[in-house]
Amino acid sequence: MKILAVIPARAGSKGIPNKNIRMVCGRPLIYYAINNALGSRFITDIVVTTDSAEVKIIASQMGVACRWRDEKLCGDDVALDAVIYDAAPKDIKWDYIVTLQPTSPTLKVETLDKGISYAIENRLDTLISAVNRPHLSWMDEDGRKIPAYKERRNRQFLPSQYMETGAFVITDASIFSERSRIGGRIDIFEMPEDESLDIDTFEDLMCADIILRREKVAIYVNGNKQRGIGHIYRALELADEFFVKPDIYFDINQTDSELFGGTTHNLIPVNGIAELYSCCKKKEYTIFINDILNTSIDYMIGLKTVAPRAKIINFEDEGEGCVKADIVINALLSNTDLPNVYVGEKYYMANKLFLLYNPIKVKDKVKKAFVCFGGADPRNYTDRILTMITKPEYQDYDFVIAVGRAKGNVEELLLYNRYDNIEVIYDVNNMPQLMSGCDVAISSRGRTAYELAMLGIPTIVLSENEREKNHAFACNENGFSYIGMDPSDEVIENNVRMYLRLSKESRQKFQDRLLEHNLKDGRKRVMGLINSI
């Protein structure tokens, strides 16, 4: 089968001067159409029709023939049908002629080939690329603006509305003429939204550059009662920082999908590392993020083998595999000897909601205390504190207890809501709002401690595990009261009593020290590191 691709690229663009040779993502605009034609498994011949010496040079450098366009075919009023007809060699019997516009740089060769295959299989005279963009629209009728719809409905319930993208027109050569590329058996080929861009304005050029530079991102994360689920929270925050929808992998042997909550991100369960590797081989990721704690050398070597193009970023990785990562980010440590490891609280990835809240105002007296030990609380500190604060001496204080998704005995803990001064809340949606209503707090040394520091809330902190004992930020020097791992009930309760009775002056000093650290810029620093690799 003989299929000709004709690429029209004249020099006289007025809206964007020199449009077809403008650099987009490091390549002239015309390059993308030629490259798609060269990469197609259906197209057998290519010709560029132009009156531009620069376009002719680019085409020849890419090994493609040029048809120098006559001046009479270069006017704004000349129909493209005549231009394509003029460019097609007449001494060859073509089966199909494909018009490829140079103004669609985001079109992928796979999509082009699907369109050609669709036209052939359905014996179409004409197939036109289009995108489905249903919208409430209006039109002119006798000088009046009237709706072009019968009923106002949400966009997802509107009927299809296809707009031509200009990316390609595929025409059966037997119906092709100087006046028309449109036959009787016609259909449209629906394009993906990100491939439907048609360059008409400078804004379009900028969008094309962004799309072509866009990363292909994967995140591998695991969380459970033993490990905690702060990793999952951070993974979801990271996913929101990219202008793509990352693939978020998790191991079904380590992580329950319910721990991700109601996210609409693309969650992909895998049954072990072998299946993860298998998925990566097919995807060609450019960024791969591990949030799984310690990695091994073997895991990292395997990952680099199946994702050779990917920049690899590990979070909180102190395993032997960390030396194989491009960068390791660990906000919980204070020092490192490795050049690829970035440590300290300045790399803390704050929940986006906390960026909108100001620190609390220190009141004359403590009225309300906040209690939270992360998503899992494996040492059951929550249970111990709830038992303490049911005593009559605490009736004059209100307590808000936040319980995470990985806590095992939620139903039992919710029973404490029968006390007038105790509110137990499961799976909090707006944590900063809840925290901001409190005067002091009791927490573990993980993610929650950073959040409380951002709000300037004086906090007692405890370690949940040996790893948290090494967390550097939530310490006395930074304005916390750290009382160790698994202290006695007497030690916990004495500190709770002390905090509830602290003077305004003492709590103000604690807050001042907590707020000395600029935690709100951590997201910007983290993404700056990732984007700088």
Side-chain angles (χ1 to χ4, degrees):
M1 185 172 284
K2 299 287 286 182
I3 298 179
L4 173 68
V6 179
I7 303 172
R10 69 186 179 106
S13 174
K14 295 181 175 63
I16 304 176
N18 303 312
K19 178 166 69 173
N20 290 321
I21 59 173
R22 289 263 180 171
M23 299 298 283
V24 180
C25 194
R27 306 278 192 179
L29 189 60
I30 184 70
Y31 164 88
Y32 296 99
I34 296 173
N35 195 54
N36 278 334
L38 289 169
S40 171
R41 60 191 176 91
F42 292 103
I43 292 171
T44 58
D45 297 86
I46 308 166
V47 61
V48 174
T49 169
T50 187
D51 62 336
S52 163
E54 291 87 350
V55 168
K56 184 177 180 180
I57 291 170
I58 294 167
S60 64
Q61 287 296 307
M62 295 182 73
V64 171
C66 262
R67 167 73 173 176
W68 193 258
R69 196 185 305 185
D70 191 280
E71 186 177 347
K72 66 182 181 182
L73 293 174
C74 295
D76 291 338
D77 58 342
V78 176
L80 197 55
D81 304 306
V83 173
I84 304 301
Y85 185 82
D86 172 74
K90 308 300 185 291
D91 57 342
I92 299 176
K93 181 175 174 55
W94 304 107
D95 294 288
Y96 284 91
I97 295 176
V98 180
T99 305
L100 276 181
Q101 292 279 21
T103 53
S104 297
T106 60
L107 172 67
K108 296 176 182 176
V109 68
E110 295 86 356
T111 304
L112 171 62
D113 278 352
K114 285 179 183 177
I116 297 172
S117 177
Y118 182 82
I120 295 171
E121 289 173 4
N122 292 278
R123 299 182 179 180
L124 298 174
D125 291 335
T126 308
L127 183 68
I128 301 174
S129 62
V131 63
N132 185 16
R133 286 181 183 149
H135 283 282
L136 294 173
S137 57
W138 292 65
M139 57 186 180
D140 271 317
E141 187 177 275
D142 299 329
R144 295 183 304 115
K145 302 293 189 300
I146 63 170
Y149 53 84
K150 294 181 180 179
E151 180 183 359
R152 290 190 71 88
R153 306 175 72 183
N154 291 339
R155 187 176 62 84
Q156 61 268 35
F157 300 116
L158 290 172
S160 296
Q161 185 174 354
Y162 295 103
M163 301 176 63
E164 295 186 21
T165 67
F168 59 76
V169 175
I170 301 167
T171 308
D172 186 319
S174 65
I175 65 97
F176 191 81
S177 73
E178 191 174 3
R179 293 182 178 83
S180 179
R181 292 168 291 155
I182 308 299
R185 297 189 306 275
I186 188 170
D187 200 352
I188 64 97
F189 188 81
E190 187 171 343
M191 302 276 289
E193 186 68 37
D194 63 348
E195 295 183 50
S196 65
L197 194 64
D198 188 18
I199 306 296
D200 285 322
T201 66
F202 284 102
E203 288 75 18
D204 294 335
L205 275 176
M206 289 190 291
C207 289
D209 196 79
I210 290 170
I211 290 172
L212 290 168
R213 293 181 190 276
R214 191 166 55 186
E215 304 282 10
K216 194 165 187 181
V217 184
I219 301 173
Y220 181 43
V221 61
N222 284 308
N224 49 50
K225 185 173 181 179
Q226 289 70 39
R227 180 175 293 175
I229 61 173
H231 309 280
I232 290 175
Y233 291 134
R234 177 168 51 220
L236 295 176
E237 291 292 334
L238 278 166
D240 283 350
E241 286 292 318
F242 295 98
F243 293 111
V244 295
K245 197 171 185 177
D247 291 334
I248 302 178
Y249 294 95
F250 65 95
D251 190 333
I252 58 173
N253 303 297
Q254 303 181 53
T255 304
D256 190 326
S257 62
E258 291 184 359
L259 297 179
F260 289 91
T263 182
T264 55
H265 275 294
N266 187 30
L267 303 179
I268 304 175
V270 293
N271 187 6
I273 297 298
E275 188 173 347
L276 174 68
Y277 287 166
S278 178
C279 293
C280 291
K281 283 181 182 178
K282 307 167 188 173
K283 296 284 189 160
E284 297 185 348
Y285 293 115
T286 58
I287 291 178
F288 195 101
I289 296 171
N290 290 297
D291 205 337
I292 55 175
L293 291 180
N294 297 350
T295 62
S296 68
I297 289 283
D298 289 344
Y299 166 75
M300 292 296 292
I301 291 174
L303 183 59
K304 283 180 172 288
T305 301
V306 298
R309 296 178 56 216
K311 299 178 286 187
I312 300 179
I313 299 96
N314 293 1
F315 278 85
E316 295 178 21
D317 182 5
E318 298 176 55
E320 61 180 5
C322 73
V323 297
K324 293 291 185 180
D326 290 290
I327 59 171
V328 177
I329 300 171
N330 195 334
L332 304 175
L333 296 182
S334 58
N335 55 70
T336 179
D337 296 326
L338 297 175
N340 67 325
V341 179
Y342 296 81
V343 300
E345 66 272 5
K346 66 180 181 178
Y347 297 113
Y348 169 65
M349 189 83 182
N351 178 299
K352 64 182 74 64
L353 292 180
F354 279 87
L355 306 181
L356 306 175
Y357 280 75
N358 294 319
I360 66 166
K361 291 183 179 180
V362 178
K363 300 174 185 174
D364 291 337
K365 292 183 178 181
V366 174
K367 295 292 186 182
K368 185 181 288 189
F370 176 81
V371 180
C372 180
F373 293 96
D377 187 16
R379 292 194 173 271
N380 294 319
Y381 289 135
T382 305
D383 309 53
R384 292 170 65 183
I385 288 175
L386 277 168
T387 301
M388 294 174 194
I389 62 177
T390 57
K391 297 175 183 178
E393 66 178 284
Y394 299 107
Q395 287 181 353
D396 292 336
Y397 302 97
D398 291 325
F399 295 86
V400 176
I401 291 85
V403 180
R405 296 176 196 148
K407 192 74 169 77
N409 59 335
V410 175
E411 295 297 328
E412 179 184 334
L413 298 180
L414 290 173
L415 295 175
Y416 281 88
N417 282 318
R418 67 183 183 273
Y419 292 92
D420 292 338
N421 66 324
I422 297 175
E423 183 180 14
V424 180
I425 305 174
Y426 171 68
D427 194 15
V428 177
N429 290 322
N430 192 350
M431 190 68 85
Q433 183 176 11
L434 201 64
M435 291 178 175
S436 293
C438 299
D439 304 299
V440 295
I442 311 157
S443 168
S444 54
R445 298 186 88 191
R447 177 188 183 92
T448 311
Y450 286 88
E451 294 170 347
L452 291 162
M454 291 176 71
L455 297 175
I457 301 175
T459 302
I460 302 165
V461 288
L462 301 86
S463 292
E464 288 275 15
N465 49 49
E466 291 294 330
R467 193 180 185 93
E468 277 196 5
K469 288 169 70 174
N470 297 320
H471 291 182
F473 176 67
C475 63
N476 296 346
E477 290 78 10
N478 288 336
F480 294 90
S481 292
Y482 175 50
I483 58 175
M485 185 175 76
D486 206 16
S488 67
D489 285 356
E490 181 182 8
V491 170
I492 294 176
E493 191 163 9
N494 283 339
N495 277 273
V496 170
R497 287 194 186 108
M498 178 187 71
Y499 259 61
L500 293 175
R501 296 166 185 167
L502 278 175
S503 67
K504 179 179 180 180
E505 290 73 24
S506 293
R507 284 180 282 119
Q508 186 64 61
K509 288 180 180 178
F510 277 125
Q511 184 183 82
D512 292 343
R513 288 163 68 187
L514 291 169
L515 296 177
E516 287 176 358
H517 306 272
N518 181 10
L519 298 174
K520 287 191 174 183
D521 284 346
R523 291 176 77 105
K524 187 189 303 181
R525 295 189 192 102
V526 167
M527 293 310 299
L529 280 177
I530 293 173
N531 293 327
S532 69
I533 303 175

